[in-house]
Amino acid sequence: MTREYVCADCGAALPVTLGRWACDECGGPLDLRRAGLEWRHGLAGTRGWPGSCPALPCEEWALDRAWLGEVPTPLVEMPSGSAVWLKCDHLMPTGSFKDRGAVVLAALALELGASRIISDSSGNAAAAIAAHAARVRIPCEVFVPQRTSSRKVRQAQGYGAEVHLVPGGRAEAAAAAQWASRAEGVLYASHAANPHFHHGVKAWAYEVREQLGAAPDTVVVPVGSGSLLLGIAIGFRELLDSGSIAAMPRLVAVQSAGCAPLAGWPPAGTPPGPGAHPVAEGIAVPQPIRLRQLRQAVDRSSGTVVVVDDQQILHAHRDLARSGLCVEPTSAVAWAGWQALAAGDLPPGRSVIALTGSGLKTDPPESQIPQMPGKGLL
Ligand SMILES: [Zn+2]
């Protein structure tokens, strides 16, 4: 595999090695680029995922060993004929879109000969990394914020991972994971830091292109660390560069009012208060390390940022459940964002909304939420 890291901040080119998760020169986040050769056709053909994505950045033998049954997830049109589709990644093997990146990171661990995999997460990535580490028989540790949903912690433990509860938020969990990753033979399998993750997630875009026969006009995504948004942006950019689509879809990043750094809230350097972000815990990332890249991805697609409050999220969660879709509240953020967008001045057109995580890991919506007039599903 001929690939290299390139620093998103200073442009330094660096080899792909165990133990490297940031730029040696400036500490900036790393991107991935092919160096001379095409990406391998990982998992294409018999296994079906991602049959339409010829661009995974790992060797086929390694991807094959790491594969846990990932297949293209369904697009459910809501309702039929509406030109609004829900991309059902909550149906992935461990119940979230994080499996798209985790299978590639586990393959990378095999290629590089890692003896241990370490990650940090608010929950879904922990489960995805733990499951794929178990699949490739490499011991795994995950560092999660202490207030993480206990079901997600138990899920990761069930896959055999050693789970460390870290006091504080996402930043403290990441710092603890990075410190532990200094040991020899460790792959720091971070969905935020390691760009291999984004190149797994990009299969989302290839699948949508295949399923619709064209790019949608609008893609709506909940954004925390932003690995889904960045992966989707990479995928559609590759499709555009190859002539497979005529134009980039508009990328709409949706964040919750309690934690919306893309909209400048909270101000840089402000620690999150206790009890903040009670609903959308999966995207409560006050200072994403790729914030500048997230803004670029939105701007370059002529997209926008939508901020929704907890009441909108709770109602969207309930609306989705009443339509038979068992997703976690963080997934409902995207649906709430699409509703806000549709009520605005800019027609969203043919839209795909990312459902990111299963509702089986979280509590169902409470039945006592009052109905908002005119806010039903479509
Ligand atoms: Zn750099």
Side-chain angles (χ1 to χ4, degrees), residues 7 9-12 23 25-28:
C7 175
D9 287 349
C10 76
C23 176
E25 308 292 329
C26 75

Side-chain angles (χ1 to χ4, degrees), residues 218-239:
T218 301
V219 168
V220 185
V221 183
V223 172
S225 296
S227 54
L228 181 57
L229 180 76
L230 291 173
I232 289 171
I234 291 170
F236 280 118
R237 178 62 57 183
E238 289 181 356
L239 288 165

Side-chain angles (χ1 to χ4, degrees), residues 310-316 318-319 322 365-376:
D310 281 355
Q311 279 304 307
Q312 290 173 292
I313 297 168
L314 289 170
H315 280 94
R318 197 266 312 276
D319 287 348
R322 297 296 191 270
E366 296 180 18
S367 56
Q368 66 266 30
I369 301 169
Q371 179 70 47
M372 290 170 73
K375 289 285 184 181

Side-chain angles (χ1 to χ4, degrees), residues 117-132:
I117 292 172
I118 288 180
S119 191
D120 56 87
S121 165
S122 69
N124 279 329
I129 297 291
H132 289 84

